[in-house]
Amino acid sequence: MVKPDGVQRALIGKILQRIEEKGFKIVAMKLALMPVEKAKEHYVEHVGKKFYQDLVDFITSGPCVSMVIEGRGAITAMRKMNGATNPVDAVSGTIRGDLAIETGRNVVHGSDSTASATREIALHFCSGELVAYKRIDEEWLYE
Ligand code: DAT
Ligand code: MG
């Protein structure tokens, strides 16, 4: 997900380019303003933490671009491509390392496990919004 800061800073294209060039397939994508109730559900694991309210306020402060990424090892690889939560710790070459400064404005979200991906996909997309298709370079991306 490209968070509201990424959308406002016109970084959608740059972020999508990294994902496409890596070889991952975008099988669903939308720009939407997240309703507060959905934001609370999205960040349910952080309920009770001191930054929770700021997180909900921020993620609902403008549109996000949500997408479903498919590819071998996509969850782990996307987390690595996103970089460490605190951009100060995110290495160069990662999205947060290259494009962000503070934890609360770290440009992207990525599901951290199969379980959270399943939960988050169901929260942000209907099953009919996921599109199965073949990319023409797949046989050059996979052995
Ligand atoms: P990530 O987004 O890398 O999965 P997370 O799930 O621990 O990180 O936290 C979700 C978001 O909450 C994170 O992207 C930014 C914010 N956040 C995390 N830890 C924070 C902290 N200590 N202070 C302020 N915001 C924080
Ligand atoms: Mg997380």
Side-chain angles (χ1 to χ4, degrees):
M1 176 184 292
V2 182
K3 295 181 182 179
D5 50 342
V7 175
Q8 293 296 333
R9 292 176 54 210
L11 297 173
I12 299 168
K14 276 206 173 92
I15 292 164
L16 289 178
Q17 185 171 17
R18 288 173 184 238
I19 296 165
E20 288 189 296
E21 288 182 346
K22 168 79 174 168
F24 288 145
K25 183 158 57 182
I26 299 164
V27 298
M29 181 160 63
K30 70 167 78 161
L31 180 143
L33 189 62
M34 211 186 291
V36 171
E37 285 316 307
K38 191 175 279 201
K40 288 179 173 171
E41 185 57 36
H42 178 81
Y43 280 128
V44 70
E45 66 176 295
H46 298 299
V47 169
K49 295 182 186 168
K50 63 181 189 310
F51 57 86
Y52 177 70
Q53 190 58 49
D54 287 344
L55 199 51
V56 171
D57 290 346
F58 169 60
I59 208 74
T60 59
S61 66
C64 295
V65 173
S66 303
M67 61 198 107
V68 181
I69 304 300
E70 198 174 275
R72 197 165 300 156
I75 294 173
T76 305
M78 277 310 312
R79 294 278 299 180
K80 285 187 181 161
M81 287 164 65
N82 284 353
T85 304
N86 185 342
V88 168
D89 302 321
V91 298
S92 292
T94 66
I95 293 167
R96 289 163 171 172
D98 292 348
L99 304 174
I101 294 172
E102 290 204 308
T103 302
R105 299 289 183 273
N106 62 7
V107 178
V108 282
H109 166 81
S111 305
D112 63 9
S113 64
T114 308
S116 62
T118 303
R119 190 182 72 79
E120 290 168 9
I121 290 168
L123 185 63
H124 297 288
F125 294 93
C126 312
S127 58
E129 292 176 314
L130 274 67
V131 182
Y133 66 100
K134 214 169 148 49
R135 256 174 65 158
I136 60 165
D137 55 4
E138 277 177 35
E139 59 188 284
W140 299 100
L141 287 163
Y142 296 100
E143 296 185 67

